Amino acid sequence: MNGLTRTNYCADTEGIGKTVVVGGYVQKIRDIGNLIFIDLRDRTGIVQLAFDDNTDRAVFEKARSCRGEFVLLARGVVRERESKNKELKTGDIEVFVDDLRILSKAQTPPFEILNDTNVNEELRLKYRYLDLRRNVLQNNIIIRSKIAKAARDYFADNGFIEIETPMMIKSTPEGARDYIVPSRIHNGSFYALPQSPQIYKQLLMIAGFDRYIQLARCFRDEDLRADRQPEFTQIDLEMSFVDVEDILSMAEGFIKYLFKTVLDADIPTPLPRMSYKDAMERYGTDKPDTRFGMEIQNMTDMVRDSEFVVFRSAIEAGGSVRAIVVPDAAAVYTRKEVDKLVDYAKGIGAKGLAYVRWADEEPNASFKKFFTHDEIASLLSGVGAKRGDIVLIVADKDSVTLPVLGALRLVTAKRMDMIPDGWNFLWITDFPFFEYNAETEHWDAMHHPFTMPKDECVQYLDSDPGKVIAKAYDLVLNGIELSSGSIRINDYELQQKMFESLGLTDEEIEAKFGFLVEAYKYGAAPHGGMGIGLDRLAMLMTGCDSLRDVTAFPKVQNASELMSQAPGKGDKAQLDELGIMITEK
RNA sequence: GGUCCGGUAGUUCAGUUGGUUAGAACGCCAGCCUGUCACGCUGGAGGUCGUGAGUUCGAGCCUCAUCCGGAUCGCCA
């Protein structure tokens, strides 16, 4: 670059008396007449460039002409500052510049490049390359890179082979909606982008690779959330000659290594476990946040004889009455706000929400007409409530009471600010194999149809599908699902039977999974694996609450990308070639 | 697809019951300033009030539609 070669990153500049060459973006200019300071920024941080009346006039004038975000290369001697800045890593030194190159001028950016920004995210995403200049965002991306490296290192050290699987594959039924890619050669046919490399990694096990890993891009055409992007990355792995325990301990080893390497945090292993059934009954969700208590309590027996029709009819219909106690909430939740909770509960499927708001001496129960003073007192002591608490009660089928209270538990805990920091990992095990779909009146696979049922459950496949437990497991961190996996069926006859239980006809099985069933006829070791969400790991490990903050070029809620404006309309020639005609929706 | 929230200088926001010329801070431009680091001082430029209809003598403000972004429910084997 015009005879100058960079010697130091900005924040790594050191050695008083040394001549250095630094390069970066102009963060800030302070022009004090015969004295100019420029804060120069690169991905490591900031160093101050200094110019004074001993500076060559041409260099001085060049410095004066600089503006924010100009790209500079500056040579100079490192010297101690006359007045130091304790806020800055390089606050004790500055570079006294004798040669300055303006490598690139820059327009005034639409927003200032500041770590602590409150600029509208929409604008930041439109100019994502400017947003990404901010050190906080760069650090997130760097941590993400370290996570990926830790994964490759750990699994390579444990004998895993990194193998790429195709991105253009055949659409698989069930599961999420596929993104599809039209084929030019096969007019009218489409590839699908993989929702995960599931089938391919099983085939790699059949091929005998024994241990596979891939940082796999996955695609799901479903609505977005803060923790859901339509394309995302999984640390995808599969192992042969294993059962559940082998995979869990391999994954635990990785988690331990990862957190030590990237965050220098010690994660005690083995990680705690909870069955799906316990998770649902105690937390109303299959991904409980166990950083705080407030578990769901079963009040059914306490109110079994009550006259209150809401409670009684729920119980008589085979349901339950359950509650959570929100400690010290009466001071925070006014009557009006409790009403909002009632609306919220109704919005997520409850018929209603009974409550006791115990602010004053006398607890105020929404159902006090139906209970005596003593009965209410005994209910309160039964659930362990004290004065100042609010008790939220739902009476319905378990499939309503549990998830509703689980959601209320999270909402109120956030509002009460009672969720401590920490790394609370939890394995959820013993998932049901089937999930009844009331709409189609079918049993669907809860995990996926290749999941191995527990040995002792195979006998219930026909008689009582709801009773079949799968060799499937999820890893949950602070209430967010990080990972999901299972042992796969490696026996083609059993696989055939599972497909039949799912209501697939022989023709459907043959058309959709024929090659997979065929493959298992040629011998397969017991195998299983999991996919760990790299994006979510990065989000949690950087303390962010959106995947957008750990993704270089994320998509927004309607799955478009604001910088490039993707997706775009296909042009006429492209569509003609593919034989595609667009109809108005 | 439903519900809710938001959209006013480049940015972040304020804008009274609908009423004269829509303000502030930061940023930007120019000048001055020898130790700044949120530099300071002086002056200046900068607005399709997301868009389109409607109500009204008069709309940033009220109504409807629509676009964009976010949260949430559905959805995500």
Side-chain angles (χ1 to χ4, degrees), chain A residues 12-44:
Chain A
D12 298 338
T13 307
E14 56 183 8
I16 289 168
K18 249 175 62 182
T19 295
V20 297
V21 179
V22 290
Y25 298 82
V26 173
Q27 176 71 40
K28 188 85 187 170
I29 301 177
R30 289 177 294 278
D31 178 356
I32 294 137
N34 285 325
L35 201 56
I36 297 173
F37 300 102
I38 294 181
D39 285 344
L40 195 68
R41 182 196 73 239
D42 65 17
R43 69 172 157 100
T44 62

Side-chain angles (χ1 to χ4, degrees), chain A residues 212-223:
Chain A
Y212 142 93
I213 186 199
Q214 179 179 202
L215 302 192
R217 309 302 314 277
C218 308
F219 305 84
R220 294 179 189 177
D221 186 3
E222 295 294 344
D223 285 358

Side-chain angles (χ1 to χ4, degrees), chain A residues 36-76:
Chain A
I36 297 173
F37 300 102
I38 294 181
D39 285 344
L40 195 68
R41 182 196 73 239
D42 65 17
R43 69 172 157 100
T44 62
I46 279 175
V47 71
Q48 176 170 283
L49 307 179
F51 306 81
D52 63 19
D53 52 4
N54 292 318
T55 304
D56 176 84
R57 283 304 89 183
V59 170
F60 192 88
E61 285 309 317
K62 212 188 271 184
R64 197 205 287 282
S65 75
C66 288
R67 293 293 179 269
E69 300 307 310
F70 275 27
V71 183
L72 306 183
L73 199 62
R75 185 185 65 194

Side-chain angles (χ1 to χ4, degrees), chain A residues 146-159 213 257 261:
Chain A
K146 287 180 178 170
I147 295 169
K149 180 177 188 303
R152 289 205 162 96
D153 288 349
Y154 175 86
F155 288 108
D157 288 348
N158 281 283
I213 186 199
Y257 173 80
T261 314

